């Protein structure tokens, strides 16, 4: 579903990604962790071309992102993204947040867009909030709206960039539970998160990044019980 081959990326003189190789199969659940500044956000933003790379190849569901700028729209149709900051439109209701992109970029009729939105708001368990504005919701509810909004575009891949990091502790679980539900339904997922309980129970593979490189990757059982690299050991020692 995703093929990343020998990707190198610089911000000016600073090399942020070095020799990244990563393949993700359909339905696979990947957790990416690593110290702040290691390039995790940059890497997943490259997958829907919020960032461009100077070297290497990124192919998403057979569409080569690095070959042709016109492929960007095609890839974005397949890839949903959820950020640490929920990025909901404050002046639109929950329902309008969910119907805006399907109606404006795909020409989905309003009634159909609303029916789809309600289906996904039910799936994230907040259909009763549909007519409220984001500011009237808790952080956990807002993040679940952001997930529902992404699902309304019927993506094949979901990217999560620290989706629970901005939440009060009591709201983390409701968002993780939503993500677990998606994983159980077979969604291909890449999640940057330091929620190691989530990684243990959901991930097929945990990837550790440091200084722009993938230093280590393994199934969670192996990753947590026998980390190979000294930097992985130090990182896990700090967060567990
Ligand atoms: P992470 O998500 O692992 O914390 P990021 O991908 O956000 O790491 O950032 C990796 C490095 O790239 C950091 O040193 C960061 O300061 C730098 N960086 C991120 N975005 C930009 C940018 N737009 N311009 C210049 N440097 C950036
Ligand atoms: Mg980040």
């Amino acid at each position: 579903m995703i093929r990343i081959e020998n990707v190198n990326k610089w911000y000016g003189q600073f090399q942020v990604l070095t020799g990244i190789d990563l393949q993700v199969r359909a339905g696979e659940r990947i957790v990416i962790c690593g110290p702040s500044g290691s390039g995790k956000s940059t890497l997943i933003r490259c997958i829907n071309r919020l960032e461009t790379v100077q070297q290497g190849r990124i192919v998403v569901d057979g569409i080569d992102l690095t070959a042709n700028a016109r492929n960007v729209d095609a890839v974005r149709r397949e890839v949903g993204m959820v950020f640490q900051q929920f990025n909901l439109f404050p002046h639109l209701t929950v329902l309008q947040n969910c119907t805006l992109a399907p109606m404006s970029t795909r020409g989905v009729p309003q009634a159909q867009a609303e029916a789809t939105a309600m289906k996904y708001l039910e799936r994230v368990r907040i259909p009763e909030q549909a007519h409220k504005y984001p500011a009237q919701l808790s952080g956990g509810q807002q993040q679940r709206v952001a997930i529902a909004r992404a699902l309304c575009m019927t993506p094949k891949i979901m990217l999560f960039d620290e989706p629970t990091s901005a939440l009060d502790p009591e709201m983390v679980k409701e968002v993780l539970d939503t993500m677990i539900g998606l994983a159980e339904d077979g969604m291909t997922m890449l999640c940057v998160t330091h929620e190691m309980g989530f990684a243990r129970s959901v991930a097929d593979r945990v990837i550790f990044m440091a200084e722009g490189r993938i230093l280590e990757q393994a199934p969670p059982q192996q990753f947590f019980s026998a980390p190979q690299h000294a930097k992985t050991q130090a990182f896990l020692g700090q967060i567990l």
Side-chain angles (χ1 to χ4, degrees):
M1 187 62 88
I2 303 174
R3 212 165 70 230
I4 299 176
E5 292 172 355
N6 196 25
V7 157
N8 293 290
K9 174 176 175 61
W10 289 261
Y11 288 122
Q13 298 288 305
F14 173 68
Q15 185 159 10
V16 60
L17 296 176
T18 303
I20 299 286
D21 283 303
L22 177 62
Q23 307 213 357
V24 181
R25 292 186 303 276
E28 212 178 353
R29 285 78 48 107
I30 308 282
V31 161
I32 303 173
C33 62
S36 179
S38 54
K40 306 180 297 296
S41 294
T42 302
L43 176 60
I44 67 163
R45 290 166 64 86
C46 288
I47 296 169
N48 64 353
R49 214 160 183 269
L50 290 173
E51 300 281 356
T52 56
V53 302
Q54 286 92 352
Q55 286 179 2
R57 225 153 82 92
I58 301 179
V59 182
V60 178
D61 197 22
I63 307 165
D64 191 335
L65 260 180
T66 35
N68 186 337
R70 268 179 300 189
N71 288 345
V72 174
D73 287 342
V75 164
R76 288 200 184 143
R77 274 198 282 280
E78 306 209 355
V79 181
M81 184 150 181
V82 174
F83 303 87
Q84 179 174 342
Q85 303 302 335
F86 327 122
N87 297 333
L88 298 175
F89 293 108
H91 61 293
L92 298 180
T93 65
V94 164
L95 188 65
Q96 288 166 336
N97 265 279
C98 291
T99 57
L100 180 68
M103 286 169 60
S104 65
T105 69
R106 295 212 187 140
V108 177
Q110 182 170 353
Q112 188 187 330
E114 288 181 352
T116 302
M118 289 310 300
K119 178 177 97 177
Y120 288 115
L121 288 171
E122 270 156 35
R123 179 139 161 214
V124 303
R125 298 168 199 272
I126 40 173
E128 72 286 356
Q129 309 296 334
H131 299 289
K132 291 193 184 164
Y133 287 88
Q136 297 171 292
L137 272 53
S138 72
Q141 290 173 324
Q142 289 187 57
Q143 191 60 299
R144 287 187 282 152
V145 173
I147 294 171
R149 179 176 62 173
L151 293 174
C152 285
M153 299 294 274
T154 57
K156 292 187 180 171
I157 301 166
M158 284 285 285
L159 308 175
F160 292 88
D161 192 358
E162 302 206 33
T164 59
S165 298
L167 297 176
D168 292 332
E170 72 272 21
M171 294 170 190
V172 169
K173 185 172 179 298
E174 65 191 61
V175 171
L176 292 178
D177 285 347
T178 303
M179 294 167 63
I180 290 168
L182 273 182
E184 285 169 351
D185 289 348
M187 179 66 78
T188 306
M189 296 168 64
L190 274 83
C191 312
V192 176
T193 181
H194 292 163
E195 293 291 338
M196 292 298 132
F198 174 81
R200 269 180 212 277
S201 61
V202 172
D204 298 302
R205 214 172 353 143
V206 183
I207 289 176
F208 177 74
M209 285 184 72
E211 293 163 13
R213 297 170 195 270
I214 294 177
L215 285 193
E216 183 161 353
Q217 49 182 312
Q221 159 70 15
Q222 187 185 334
F223 182 86
F224 291 111
S225 63
Q228 299 297 301
H229 203 287
K231 284 184 179 161
T232 317
Q233 293 163 7
F235 175 77
L236 290 176
Q238 279 167 356
I239 66 162
L240 291 181

